Amino acid sequence: SSGINAEYGGKVYNKNFALFSPLDSRVPRMLIPLNEFPKGFAERPQDFADNLMIGLVKRWELNGKFAMGSLLKSIGGDRDDLVVAATEGILTENDLDDSPFPDDIDAEIPDFEITPEDVAKRQEFDFRKKCVFTIDPATARDLDDACSVEEVGDGLYEIGVHIADVSHFVYPGTSVDDIARERTTSVYLVQRVIPMLPRKLCENLCSLNPGVDRFSFSVIWKMKKDGTVLSTKFGKSLINSCCKLHYEHAQDMIDEPDREFEEGYLPRIYNGYTDKDLSKKVNILHNIAQILRKKRKESGAISIQQCKIKFSLNKDDGMPSGLGSYKSKESNKLIEEFMLKANVSVAEKLVKHYPDNAIIRRHVGPKENVLKDTKKVLERMGIEVDTTSSKMMQEALNKLQHAPNQPTPVGLVVASLLAKCMSLATYHSSGEFDSPVDYFHYGLSMELYTHFTSPIRRYPDLIAHRQLQAILEGEKTGPMDFDEVSELAELSSQKKYASKLASDKSGELFLWLFLREQVAMHEPASVIEIGSESIDVLVLRYGVQVRIWRDYIGEKVEFQVKEKQWAHITWPAEDGKPKCSKRYELLDNIVVIMKAGKQLFKINGSLPRPDSVNDLNVPTIEGFASEDV
């Protein structure tokens, strides 16, 4: 058994070993030879209390009390930067490379030049004079995708998705490609991005920045206004984006189609187009995207709406200064829908021509044992969810909403529990399966799917680009054989999962850092589990799960429990307030007190006295009415 984990500090166990207690309670404690620790640790371990130790489980006997381990790294001490040390620990724990690109890497990247030969090859797909635009988060610097739409008569539209042509600059066998193959993905942490490609590529040459010519790879559909596709074509293309819209700008256009935007509100618009041109095109795409999404949902696609925490960072020191949650708008869904459409179109093309070695993305659906346990939990809550299909689960979630995409507190709890049942989507070579039925993507309810639309930050997309280009050039076998695609698919799946773990852990770190600077936070929450010594709650605004141990509620508090059903808590008379009590049951809306624990990442939860809740400043959310208030 092997694994990597981290802890702050350590403890001398005997003259030969230190006892290493991982922060993650799922990983066993281990004995690590003292001679592997920094000099002076054996004599004065307290001096290393702020160091982050990275350990490797090397052996764990079946009946052994402790595993045997080895020390990989000790971070901290003279560097004394908590965020840097903790982030390095997170990356090491997940085997993610954040080393700088070699100094000479830019020298092997071709300069940007559009030659007459390029224009001739891409003449059919030269969109530089057409109204092509991007819609991205305000902070985005690597612009992967752009859209266009033109009315072509008879109620038909030509809709284009234009993706950064990374393969034009990154060739197999180069140092840039070798590094990208090893990383396979960009990693998004709270305070930084670890790019898959050098910044010269991802933020400049490949990024579809406005007002400049760019190489792209396009999927073009002739489509009816109801989303029916009449024809599809693919090609290497040229674009000159007329505007870098943010999601907020596109949402304003959807909300107010006839709005005349005041000067300076929108980003600069190039190539002679106007805000009215953009607004008209955004709304055409929005209307078709709504229909496409409705069709997907009717076919069984499931979308589990969960709150995701976001942070405001202090510009001076990079520390968290505020919390919020990501809101998915109609403009987000517009882009998502056409990216899904492009990925499906490319997947169908790849598998048709390269049935044995096309890069595909597969999702096998829920983990049956976890789903079975979750159904029991939901039944204890009095909630019936038909889990026989993704469509039935989606219908159950839809019933737990105030309005579309606005879950009730109960809906947030159910979504959180169901999300944990879902297996992760993975990459594969199409030849790994005996039947096309096995290509199925459960979450999207699609028979075929791949990743094509983000080659700046995902290596499988770059594989898809190269395979699609080989098809267009008439190659019979493709640029990679079955074994190479399978190997890269497996590595990409591993790295994508590792990057997700690192991103989630980075969020936990910054939440802990934020709470460390607060006296306490009072948040609306719902009870999701009751144990013999604790209550688990879901913090509704941020989707964070917090455990409330009886010891953290108060020393003299009486804690009576009927396990998994209810807890009855009694507070003593104090500060002039009489004795009071409250019974907590599953799905109760309550107020939780959140504080940073002494241990890195640890969030301590507690409960306020019921007779003091009215005095607290508790944020309000729709559908939440605390029984304490």
Side-chain angles (χ1 to χ4, degrees):
S1 170
S2 66
I4 299 173
N5 216 283
E7 72 154 16
Y8 259 87
K11 186 168 79 174
V12 177
Y13 185 70
N14 60 32
K15 65 179 182 179
N16 296 317
F17 292 95
L19 179 62
F20 183 102
S21 299
L23 294 174
D24 188 338
S25 60
R26 295 169 299 178
V27 179
R29 292 187 293 171
M30 64 187 102
L31 296 176
I32 295 177
L34 269 175
N35 60 14
E36 296 184 11
F37 284 80
K39 186 177 180 181
F41 177 81
E43 294 76 26
R44 296 187 56 79
Q46 65 272 20
D47 291 352
F48 296 84
D50 291 333
N51 283 42
L52 185 67
M53 308 284 187
I54 312 293
L56 172 70
V57 178
K58 299 186 76 172
R59 189 177 75 255
W60 191 12
E61 301 294 345
L62 190 61
N63 297 316
K65 184 177 180 182
F66 304 122
M68 300 304 296
S70 180
L71 189 71
L72 292 184
K73 191 181 291 187
S74 174
I75 310 167
D78 56 349
R79 290 170 58 177
D80 201 31
D81 186 326
L82 183 61
V83 175
V84 171
T87 299
E88 187 173 342
I90 290 168
L91 296 173
T92 303
E93 185 174 23
N94 290 288
D95 194 24
L96 294 169
D97 179 14
D98 72 330
S99 57
F101 289 94
D103 293 337
D104 59 352
I105 197 83
D106 285 355
E108 74 168 38
I109 298 172
D111 292 329
F112 187 92
E113 179 187 11
I114 297 178
T115 66
E117 183 183 7
D118 291 324
V119 174
K121 284 182 177 179
R122 300 176 186 238
Q123 188 170 5
E124 183 186 355
F125 294 87
D126 190 343
F127 285 79
R128 287 178 292 176
K129 293 183 180 179
K130 293 190 176 182
C131 185
V132 178
F133 52 91
T134 60
I135 305 176
D136 286 283
T139 55
R141 292 187 292 181
D142 50 348
L143 309 183
D144 270 310
D145 55 86
C147 292
S148 63
V149 57
E150 301 285 338
E151 297 181 63
V152 292
D154 298 325
L156 301 178
Y157 298 96
E158 181 185 84
I159 294 177
V161 165
H162 313 278
I163 306 301
D165 187 4
V166 174
S167 62
H168 182 82
F169 298 95
V170 180
Y171 311 132
T174 60
S175 297
V176 176
D177 189 61
D178 289 344
I179 293 171
R181 279 173 71 119
E182 291 172 5
R183 294 189 175 191
T184 79
T185 183
S186 295
V187 181
Y188 292 83
L189 306 176
V190 171
Q191 82 283 24
R192 57 185 282 223
V193 176
I194 302 166
M196 183 182 79
L197 296 171
R199 297 197 183 279
K200 180 179 178 181
L201 285 171
C202 62
E203 294 181 11
N204 185 7
L205 300 183
C206 294
S207 184
L208 304 181
N209 299 329
V212 291
D213 290 351
R214 284 292 179 258
F215 292 100
S216 51
F217 210 153
S218 299
V219 182
I220 310 296
W221 304 281
K222 185 174 285 186
M223 193 180 290
K224 293 182 179 180
K225 63 181 179 181
D226 67 357
T228 303
V229 175
L230 301 181
S231 66
T232 307
K233 58 183 181 179
F234 309 88
K236 291 286 186 98
S237 52
L238 295 168
I239 68 167
N240 188 307
S241 170
C242 71
C243 193
K244 177 190 175 184
L245 290 174
H246 303 160
Y247 283 121
E248 291 76 11
H249 301 136
Q251 189 60 46
D252 287 341
M253 293 174 176
I254 292 168
D255 293 338
E256 302 177 82
D258 299 321
R259 175 175 168 181
E260 293 187 8
F261 292 93
E262 55 273 25
E263 188 174 347
Y265 179 77
L266 295 176
R268 180 178 173 183
I269 301 173
Y270 296 84
N271 306 334
Y273 292 104
T274 66
D275 58 345
K276 289 185 177 180
D277 295 324
L278 284 171
S279 186
K280 180 180 179 181
K281 292 178 184 296
V282 164
N283 277 281
I284 291 171
L285 292 174
H286 167 61
N287 291 334
I288 296 174
Q290 285 184 304
I291 296 169
L292 293 175
R293 186 161 64 252
K294 183 181 178 184
K295 288 180 178 179
R296 278 200 308 110
K297 293 292 177 66
E298 288 172 350
S299 74
I302 184 169
S303 176
I304 299 180
Q305 299 277 333
Q306 288 185 279
C307 292
K308 186 179 178 184
I309 195 168
K310 69 176 181 179
F311 299 88
S312 301
L313 301 182
N314 189 298
K315 291 182 179 179
D316 296 326
D317 59 10
M319 298 300 282
S321 57
L323 299 181
S325 58
Y326 288 97
K327 298 285 191 293
S328 182
K329 304 175 184 294
E330 289 299 309
S331 54
N332 297 77
K333 293 179 172 61
L334 180 164
I335 293 300
E336 177 188 10
E337 216 53 54
F338 285 103
M339 296 308 112
L340 291 174
K341 192 76 175 172
N343 287 334
V344 170
S345 295
V346 171
E348 292 170 348
K349 186 79 169 177
L350 297 186
V351 172
K352 179 181 178 181
H353 287 80
Y354 299 146
D356 295 330
N357 56 329
I359 184 77
I360 62 170
R361 189 150 173 84
R362 177 179 184 246
H363 186 214
V364 298
K367 295 170 278 192
E368 288 300 326
N369 57 331
V370 182
L371 187 61
K372 186 177 179 181
D373 292 341
T374 299
K375 277 203 74 173
K376 291 178 181 177
V377 172
L378 291 171
E379 286 168 4
R380 286 203 307 272
M381 294 177 174
I383 298 172
E384 286 287 336
V385 176
D386 186 340
T387 59
T388 54
S389 69
S390 56
K391 185 175 184 178
M392 297 309 293
M393 278 195 274
Q394 185 63 61
E395 287 182 4
L397 290 170
N398 291 346
K399 293 174 183 176
L400 300 171
Q401 296 181 337
H402 306 294
N405 305 310
Q406 294 181 27
T408 62
V410 173
L412 290 170
V413 170
V414 174
S416 176
L417 293 173
L418 288 179
K420 293 177 182 178
C421 303
M422 296 298 164
S423 56
L424 296 173
T426 48
Y427 297 105
H428 297 271
S429 174
S430 53
E432 293 176 29
F433 307 103
D434 296 329
S435 168
V437 173
D438 295 322
Y439 300 158
F440 191 71
H441 194 294
Y442 178 89
L444 298 173
S445 192
M446 290 176 174
E447 294 179 3
L448 263 180
Y449 194 65
T450 194
H451 273 164
F452 171 80
T453 52
S454 295
I456 290 176
R457 58 185 177 90
R458 293 188 305 228
Y459 197 80
D461 301 56
L462 184 52
I463 297 174
H465 278 230
R466 290 170 177 165
Q467 289 186 333
L468 182 57
Q469 181 60 17
I471 291 168
L472 298 179
E473 292 176 353
E475 293 185 21
K476 299 298 183 186
T477 58
M480 293 180 177
D481 62 20
F482 168 81
D483 289 337
E484 189 175 8
V485 175
S486 291
E487 183 180 330
L488 278 167
E490 184 176 1
L491 178 63
S492 297
S493 296
Q494 292 169 357
K495 291 294 186 181
K496 188 166 181 64
Y497 178 53
S499 69
K500 179 186 183 304
L501 292 178
S503 180
D504 290 347
K505 201 70 176 177
S506 178
E508 290 178 30
L509 169 65
F510 274 76
L511 177 58
W512 181 82
L513 290 168
F514 179 79
L515 290 173
R516 195 178 60 159
E517 301 303 316
Q518 316 299 314
V519 175
M521 274 180 63
H522 302 95
E523 284 290 329
S526 284
V527 177
I528 59 173
E529 190 67 65
I530 294 174
S532 59
E533 298 286 330
S534 63
I535 297 174
D536 290 352
V537 301
L538 181 72
V539 180
L540 297 171
R541 289 204 302 162
Y542 307 123
V544 176
Q545 191 169 321
V546 174
R547 175 159 291 177
I548 303 167
W549 290 101
R550 63 179 297 173
D551 292 347
Y552 289 137
I553 301 173
E555 291 181 9
K556 298 180 180 179
V557 164
E558 296 176 20
F559 192 90
Q560 296 174 299
V561 171
K562 186 170 184 181
E563 195 168 349
K564 299 185 178 180
Q565 293 187 36
W566 53 258
H568 191 273
I569 302 175
T570 302
W571 283 260
E574 60 183 10
D575 299 329
K577 291 186 175 182
K579 184 177 179 180
C580 64
S581 64
K582 177 170 172 55
R583 176 168 158 149
Y584 296 86
E585 299 182 3
L586 293 172
L587 289 183
D588 277 357
N589 290 334
I590 66 169
V591 175
V592 64
I593 304 171
M594 297 170 64
K595 295 182 180 180
K598 291 182 180 179
Q599 192 182 58
L600 186 69
F601 302 112
K602 184 171 177 58
I603 307 299
N604 293 333
S606 184
L607 294 171
R609 291 174 59 98
D611 55 10
S612 66
V613 170
N614 285 327
D615 300 329
L616 303 177
N617 182 20
V618 181
T620 57
I621 64 171
E622 189 172 354
F624 179 89
S626 170
E627 296 179 9
D628 290 340
V629 176

